Amino acid sequence: ARDKKGFMSLNSTAFSHPPYFQLIGIPGLEKEQFWIAFPFCIMYALAVLGNVTLLFVIKAEQSLHEPMYLFLAMLAFTDLVLSTSTLPKMLGIFWLGSGEIGFLSCLAQLFFIHTFSSVESGVLMAMALDRYIAICCPLRHSSILSVQVVVALGSLVLVRGVLLVSPFCFLLRRMPFCQHHVISHSYCEHMAVVKLACGDTRVNVIYGLFVAFMVIGSDMILISVSYTMILRVVMRLSSTEARLKAFSTCASHISVILAFYVPALFTFLTHRFGQSIPPHVHIMVAILYLIVPPMLNPIVYGVRTKNLWDRVVLL
């Protein structure tokens, strides 16, 4: 009985986790991060204002209940979740020094960040496909992308994110942490938490690579193919003015896509292969990855979309 009791005690200790984690903010810039928080706060306020405005206008205007605007509403909602999952807590760390976050709260933040990053990638891919069908098959656009198809695509993208990211939380909950609780990051990111574990993390690392290639790899391929086909059609236009307008629109959309994927890939690769990159550079890029796209998307997609901008000005 004593042996059994001792074994159970050892087993519970091995799979224990700290009651809370301590987020330190930006490693190496702890003194400066009080002032760094101000531009982040302004960017967050612009992101919330822009995306809430888009959602309100698209919901209020029946004429905007079309595939392009419905995808834009999905993107706005995703951006609100992504930025709100991280920025309020991050500003608390920078301004108030409140870096403590409960273990389950950390897993919840991690879940929302990675799930909705996957959703954002999927929505950008769906928007690229929408533009491809609208430009390359204009007569069949409404029949191919009906409202029901758009809702189904949005639901599939969300389900994909939930199913792929949920195992992160289950795997981390079973990991031994040996009372390591200081996270060298501004928010609970999967690999930042995995690095605190004192057990075998190969499953976490391999599964993380699998999810990244499944989401970013497949979506980037489809986006690249879509815009390549779009540019081929644009090049055949006889009017120079029409070509320049199409190029301008494509360039602005591609810039938003790059603003999302380039920092995402940089953050993902730095965790695994970028030991020589200063920690503060890595963390700053990881923060910008979650705040710059939510701020830019309403500007690029909203201001440059005439029908939508006219409704915003009218309201």
Side-chain angles (χ1 to χ4, degrees):
R2 189 181 304 163
D3 291 341
K4 184 176 180 181
K5 183 178 178 181
F7 172 77
M8 290 176 63
S9 176
L10 179 63
N11 189 57
S12 63
T13 302
F15 288 100
S16 65
H17 52 72
Y20 67 91
F21 288 117
Q22 187 73 29
L23 294 162
I24 66 172
I26 306 174
L29 295 178
E30 287 85 356
K31 294 181 179 179
E32 294 83 0
Q33 63 191 20
F34 178 87
W35 303 107
I36 293 172
F38 285 97
F40 286 154
C41 182
I42 293 170
M43 294 164 75
Y44 175 59
L46 291 173
V48 171
L49 177 63
N51 287 295
V52 167
T53 301
L54 284 185
L55 286 171
F56 174 74
V57 171
I58 293 170
K59 184 179 185 300
E61 289 291 328
Q62 190 69 31
S63 62
L64 298 180
H65 294 180
E66 298 176 1
M68 180 175 71
Y69 303 109
L70 294 177
F71 283 131
L72 188 54
M74 294 178 195
L75 190 66
F77 177 76
T78 302
D79 284 337
L80 282 174
V81 175
L82 260 183
S83 55
T84 304
S85 297
T86 52
L87 263 295
K89 177 62 181 176
M90 199 182 303
L91 294 175
I93 298 169
F94 294 166
W95 282 336
L96 306 174
S98 58
E100 187 174 301
I101 183 170
F103 182 81
L104 293 180
S105 299
C106 184
L107 292 187
Q109 187 186 55
L110 182 153
F111 173 80
F112 279 104
I113 290 170
H114 290 289
T115 296
F116 282 89
S117 292
S118 169
V119 171
E120 175 130 355
S121 178
V123 173
L124 289 173
M125 178 268 293
M127 292 176 77
L129 290 176
D130 171 62
R131 291 298 84 208
Y132 163 73
I133 295 170
I135 292 172
C136 301
C137 312
L139 298 179
R140 299 173 56 198
H141 181 259
S142 58
S143 60
I144 295 173
L145 279 181
S146 62
V147 173
Q148 290 80 6
V149 171
V150 171
V151 172
L153 278 173
S155 301
L156 284 173
V157 166
L158 178 60
V159 169
R160 180 189 71 168
V162 171
L163 291 179
L164 287 175
V165 173
S166 294
F168 286 156
C169 301
F170 293 121
L171 288 170
L172 285 171
R173 190 158 187 181
R174 290 187 56 82
M175 292 295 297
F177 286 91
C178 305
Q179 302 308 309
H180 299 157
H181 68 281
V182 178
I183 302 176
S184 297
H185 211 302
S186 300
Y187 55 84
C188 290
E189 197 268 345
H190 175 242
M191 283 304 298
V193 179
V194 167
K195 287 180 178 179
L196 297 185
C198 54
D200 187 355
T201 61
R202 282 178 297 180
V203 173
N204 301 69
V205 173
I206 292 170
Y207 184 70
L209 287 168
F210 167 75
V211 171
F213 285 118
M214 275 286 293
V215 174
I216 297 178
S218 61
D219 290 350
M220 284 187 70
I221 289 171
L222 288 171
I223 289 171
S224 301
V225 170
S226 297
Y227 276 102
T228 300
M229 299 297 290
I230 289 170
L231 291 173
R232 285 182 62 185
V233 172
V234 169
M235 291 297 292
R236 295 177 190 153
L237 295 175
S238 56
S239 168
T240 303
E241 184 180 349
R243 279 204 303 268
L244 289 175
K245 184 178 179 181
F247 274 127
S248 174
T249 302
C250 287
S252 61
H253 291 185
I254 291 170
S255 66
V256 169
I257 290 168
L258 291 176
F260 176 76
Y261 282 111
V262 171
L265 286 170
F266 176 86
T267 303
F268 168 74
L269 295 173
T270 300
H271 267 306
R272 292 157 177 85
F273 313 111
Q275 287 76 15
S276 61
I277 295 174
H280 66 274
V281 174
H282 174 203
I283 303 306
M284 286 289 285
V285 173
I287 296 171
L288 293 174
Y289 151 63
L290 294 181
I291 189 59
V292 170
M295 181 190 68
L296 283 181
N297 289 341
I299 298 171
V300 173
Y301 288 110
V303 173
R304 294 184 66 87
T305 305
K306 188 177 185 304
N307 289 347
L308 186 57
W309 180 243
D310 289 344
R311 299 302 190 287
V312 172
V313 172
L314 182 65
L315 288 170

